Amino acid sequence: MDLARTDFYLDGRWVDACADATLPVHNPATEEVVATVPAGTAADVDRAVAAARAAFDGWAATAPAERAAHLDRLHAALTARADDIARTVARELGTPLKLAARVQTGLPLTVLRGYVDLAARPPAQETVGNSLVVREPVGVVGAITPWNYPLHQVMAKLAPALAAGCTVVLKPSELTPLVSYLLFDAIHEAGLPPGVVNLVTGTGPVVGEAIAAHPDVDLVSFTGSTATGARIAHLAADRIARVALELGGKSANVILDDADVVTAVKVGVGNAFLNSGQTCTAWTRMLVHRSRYDEALTLAAKAAQAYRLGDPFAPDTRLGPLVSAAQRERVRGHVARGLADGGRLVAGGPDAPVPDRGWFVAPTVIADVDPDSALAQEEVFGPVLAVIPVDDDDHAVAVANNSRYGLAGAVWSADEDRALRVARRMRTGAVDVNGAPFNPLAPFGGYKQSGIGRELGRYGLDEFLQTKAIQR
Ligand code: NAD
């Protein structure tokens, strides 16, 4: 074991946890325990929230340019740690190092850079008749985050919260807490005022619930599963606290008959298997027009078989393990059920070879999936793609919308107007047409059970502001 932390970051310093209990952190590629972190308690949360509350008035009153300067210094401190961040995420999550550098490190730095700019020019006040309408920070934010993009999901909350003038108590996922320790080293070096950001690690039922139920937390900003999001919303509802929820997904990748199928399948498979399929926005349902269906299946099987699984630190590895043994069992269960429900295996599956050590699942493509079956309806969170034939645009839209989720999606067509018409009809928070790139300044969030609220860019900032009318 490399690291045994016993401390949290509270009120501007590293202090010992109230209790001695610890939680193990594993390397999912080797199954070894690589670190331990404290299992926080409600008493630790009380200390963190008290620090954030005490710091709030001062931080909220800080001039925008000064807040921006703090975030800029944080950006510099994190940039200096970029290699360490990528290696830490590769170790605690299993993301291949190259991808960890680009997505797990580069993306949160880009998000933070965007909020340096937005912090410097906060939303203007407005005059409505005899009213002056002003935007003010919401207050103390409880941020609870998952393991799959462990720094990005923290940054998507922390950066806008700080830019808006809020103070924060963070509970990262207990499966990937190590990158948050690096983040708080950078926060300390950047010299943010004591209490403005606080870290407590621990389990969801103990630390997470203590944050969600805390009377002094004004907004609970959560990213994770829909079931946990519902629990958090219930806890917050009891005291009418705000919630922002970024939850699960089962996004559809719609490939129309006039699409460039080669590109659509290549990009679609890459999207579905990104980060071993542990991506909330993954296009896990590929909906292909019947006239191009067989062609798409051949291409998808070939693309899946070309993935190299293995050590996240090896330069040619494209697919790492899943985060935990439990997650691997869940994913295996989904594959077995998908096949039992009539799906046809075209790549991967239960018997495909995987490394002996580590929580790996082979990239799997299952065809002829019934749109109502569990594999088409449940979030798998592993490298498993369900392919479904569709008859025409109306049918594609109906199947795409046949989901309790609505987080992301894609449409491919040679006719951009046609693709845009389909995109507008999809009940989902984002749609990419013909492989358009991810935009870190665009609003990000869910329709239906994929969540409430938006993150990123100026829409993300809005979540951390409230509106006051002053009549004169
Ligand atoms: P999870 O819901 O199990 O855990 C997320 C966080 O909530 C963790 O920090 C966990 O400790 C905490 N938690 C668990 N139970 C809690 C409780 N009762 N009260 C308070 N906090 C609790 O989710 P996960 O397994 O870490 O992450 C995977 C899920 O996250 C997937 O469903 C995925 O789609 C979703 N996700 C969504 C987005 C998005 O932006 N929409 C992004 C990434 C992941």
Side-chain angles (χ1 to χ4, degrees), residues 144-149 153 171-175 202-210 212 222-229 231-232 235 245-249 278-281 327 330 379 381 405 407 444-446 450 455:
I144 302 174
T145 54
W147 43 264
N148 56 340
Y149 291 91
Q153 277 139 353
K171 189 206 93 65
S173 169
E174 57 274 39
L175 297 179
T203 66
V206 178
V207 175
E209 295 214 6
F222 170 76
T223 300
S225 62
T226 294
T228 306
R231 172 75 185 135
I232 284 173
L235 290 169
L245 304 173
E246 295 290 344
L247 309 175
Q278 302 167 119
T279 302
C280 52
T281 52
Q327 185 66 14
R330 269 199 292 273
E379 186 175 48
F381 239 54
Y405 295 114
L407 188 57
F444 177 95
S450 288
E455 289 193 329

Side-chain angles (χ1 to χ4, degrees), residues 40-331:
T41 60
D44 294 306
V45 172
D46 281 343
R47 291 198 290 171
V49 174
R53 175 56 62 199
F56 174 68
D57 287 346
W59 183 247
T62 302
E66 203 183 319
R67 284 207 294 262
H70 276 292
L71 291 182
D72 196 30
R73 281 195 294 276
L74 176 58
H75 188 274
L78 279 172
T79 303
R81 289 164 175 77
D83 283 349
D84 212 0
I85 291 169
R87 299 184 75 79
T88 299
V89 177
R91 204 163 50 119
E92 65 181 339
L93 176 59
T95 307
L97 190 57
K98 221 159 77 187
L99 184 66
R102 186 163 55 83
V103 180
Q104 304 281 14
T105 312
L107 177 59
L109 280 168
T110 303
V111 168
L112 177 55
R113 169 56 55 208
Y115 282 110
V116 174
D117 299 339
L118 283 166
R121 11 177 214 102
Q125 57 186 31
E126 196 191 349
T127 301
V128 180
N130 68 322
S131 301
L132 186 63
V133 179
V134 296
R135 311 295 308 281
E136 298 184 338
V138 160
V140 173
V141 173
I144 302 174
T145 54
W147 43 264
N148 56 340
Y149 291 91
L151 184 58
H152 169 66
Q153 277 139 353
V154 169
M155 196 55 76
K157 303 182 186 312
L158 196 84
L162 297 180
C166 294
T167 56
V168 179
V169 173
L170 169 68
K171 189 206 93 65
S173 169
E174 57 274 39
L175 297 179
T176 55
L178 302 182
V179 73
S180 285
Y181 279 88
L182 282 178
L183 167 67
F184 275 76
D185 274 338
I187 283 170
H188 192 72
E189 184 182 304
L192 267 88
V196 168
V197 258
N198 306 274
L199 171 70
V200 181
T201 57
T203 66
V206 178
V207 175
E209 295 214 6
I211 291 173
H214 202 290
D216 240 358
V217 170
D218 300 295
L219 163 72
V220 188
S221 179
F222 170 76
T223 300
S225 62
T226 294
T228 306
R231 172 75 185 135
I232 284 173
H234 278 286
L235 290 169
D238 282 342
R239 58 195 169 81
I240 321 291
R242 289 160 184 255
V243 288
L245 304 173
E246 295 290 344
L247 309 175
K250 191 76 202 179
S251 297
N253 178 16
V254 176
I255 302 177
L256 301 178
D257 53 351
D258 61 351
D260 169 359
V261 173
V262 172
T263 308
V265 171
K266 181 169 160 250
V267 175
V269 168
N271 179 294
F273 295 164
L274 182 74
N275 205 29
S276 298
Q278 302 167 119
T279 302
C280 52
T281 52
W283 305 337
T284 48
R285 295 180 295 152
M286 185 181 277
L287 278 42
V288 189
H289 192 278
R290 270 185 210 285
S291 66
R292 313 297 297 274
Y293 188 66
D294 290 340
E295 185 186 352
L297 283 181
T298 307
L299 289 164
K302 221 170 122 194
Q305 281 149 0
Y307 273 78
R308 201 178 177 93
L309 278 67
D311 175 8
F313 288 90
D316 53 353
T317 294
R318 241 181 110 203
L319 203 84
L322 298 178
V323 69
S324 65
Q327 185 66 14
R328 181 181 59 179
E329 287 323 299
R330 269 199 292 273
V331 172

